[in-house]
Amino acid sequence: MDKYLSIITNFGCHGRCPYCVVRETGINVPETTLHGLTNLKNAIKETGVNIVSVSGGGDPLHNFEEHKYWYSELFALLNNIGLPIEMHTSYMNTKFPYEKCKRIVYHLLNLDQLDEVAKLEKEIVRVVYVIEKWMTKDHIGYIYDYVQRSRDIDELSFRQLVNGNFKEEYHLHDHLKRYHGKKWHYIEQCDYNDYYVEGKLYKRFSDIGKE
Ligand code: SF4
């Protein structure tokens, strides 16, 4: 089973997720810099992980062109030690080399975006939906059927929304749980990974940004 080190970036954000709870307050993650990668190799050794994921704090591919050197450095470092990358983003049309990742996880915001998802080469393509109040079992069924027919999408996940009080919601919980592992993955909020943020390691996401 893959053991993840999750790099949490802050390159800013498109601000498009309707359920966002940090848009007003700001992202509580330090700005991501090239210097912040210097401790990554040690952190990989210390945690014994076999895959590195990149997510946010905002969207890791926000203003990609401005951060392409950071990604070149990351790919070079991980190629050197033979570790794959999993990328989490809502951006589908940047110059980022999606096909060089082991897995791309697209965080989709509406049903129409399913049409935009494209597999470029052999990367595994997963789509994730945060469960919002407007969603019904029929919407879930539509998404499931779409993914079943798709040649571009390999995997489907749903995850619960975290509200303004940083508490998980339970909309459609029983239905989603019933088919977890059979039709889709249902992700309940918890800390699965070790987190790497600007040179520091954290065990809990909520500790990021606290000193
Ligand atoms: S990517 Fe994150 S910070 Fe940006 S709008 Fe979506 S939830 Fe909010």
Side-chain angles (χ1 to χ4, degrees):
M1 196 175 139
D2 282 337
K3 185 169 185 229
Y4 282 79
L5 179 62
S6 183
I7 301 181
I8 306 297
T9 60
N10 181 0
F11 289 128
C13 180
H14 45 66
R16 289 182 312 202
C17 307
Y19 47 81
C20 181
V21 292
V22 302
R23 201 171 13 222
E24 307 300 328
T25 53
I27 303 164
N28 194 23
V29 173
E31 204 179 310
T32 304
T33 66
L34 264 177
H35 179 71
L37 284 175
T38 46
N39 201 24
L40 182 61
K41 214 167 158 183
N42 289 338
I44 288 169
K45 222 185 247 173
E46 193 181 323
T47 50
V49 297
N50 58 1
I51 183 164
V52 168
S53 71
V54 182
S55 57
D59 194 306
L61 292 186
H62 187 64
N63 290 336
F64 168 69
E65 288 290 325
E66 288 174 24
H67 308 294
K68 57 187 178 190
Y69 297 112
W70 187 88
Y71 282 103
S72 305
E73 197 68 25
L74 178 68
F75 275 106
L77 199 148
L78 294 179
N79 277 341
N80 216 0
I81 50 177
L83 248 59
I85 297 186
E86 176 177 298
M87 168 58 83
H88 290 247
T89 184
S90 299
Y91 285 102
M92 291 183 254
N93 297 307
T94 71
K95 292 198 170 134
F96 174 78
Y98 298 90
E99 71 285 0
K100 285 193 184 165
C101 296
K102 175 178 179 180
R103 178 182 284 105
I104 299 284
V105 183
Y106 288 114
H107 294 241
L108 302 189
L109 303 176
N110 56 53
L111 301 181
D112 292 343
Q113 281 185 323
L114 284 163
D115 295 335
E116 296 172 41
V117 177
K119 184 200 276 282
L120 300 180
E121 289 183 14
K122 289 185 178 160
E123 75 278 17
I124 301 165
V125 176
R126 176 183 296 175
V127 296
V128 177
Y129 278 90
V130 170
I131 299 299
E132 294 182 65
K133 283 277 183 282
W134 59 265
M135 287 182 167
T136 63
K137 285 185 188 175
D138 285 347
H139 291 121
I140 303 294
Y142 173 87
I143 295 166
Y144 172 72
D145 289 342
Y146 190 105
V147 170
Q148 286 290 101
R149 288 194 310 270
S150 172
R151 291 186 181 175
D152 292 279
I153 305 170
D154 304 297
E155 300 173 345
L156 170 64
S157 294
F158 295 101
R159 70 185 310 157
Q160 282 295 343
L161 186 116
V162 177
N163 65 28
N165 299 320
F166 294 96
K167 290 270 184 296
E168 187 181 358
E169 304 217 332
Y170 288 91
H171 185 50
L172 299 177
H173 172 81
D174 292 347
H175 180 63
L176 292 165
K177 187 127 185 154
R178 184 173 313 133
Y179 294 105
H180 166 69
K182 301 178 189 101
K183 292 186 169 185
W184 49 69
H185 289 275
Y186 176 46
I187 305 161
E188 297 185 68
Q189 300 294 336
C190 69
D191 289 303
Y192 308 96
N193 304 333
D194 288 306
Y195 301 100
Y196 179 88
V197 188
E198 278 296 285
K200 292 189 182 156
L201 273 174
Y202 297 86
K203 288 277 173 209
R204 292 190 313 180
F205 191 87
S206 55
D207 286 343
I208 296 170
K210 292 182 194 160
E211 292 311 325

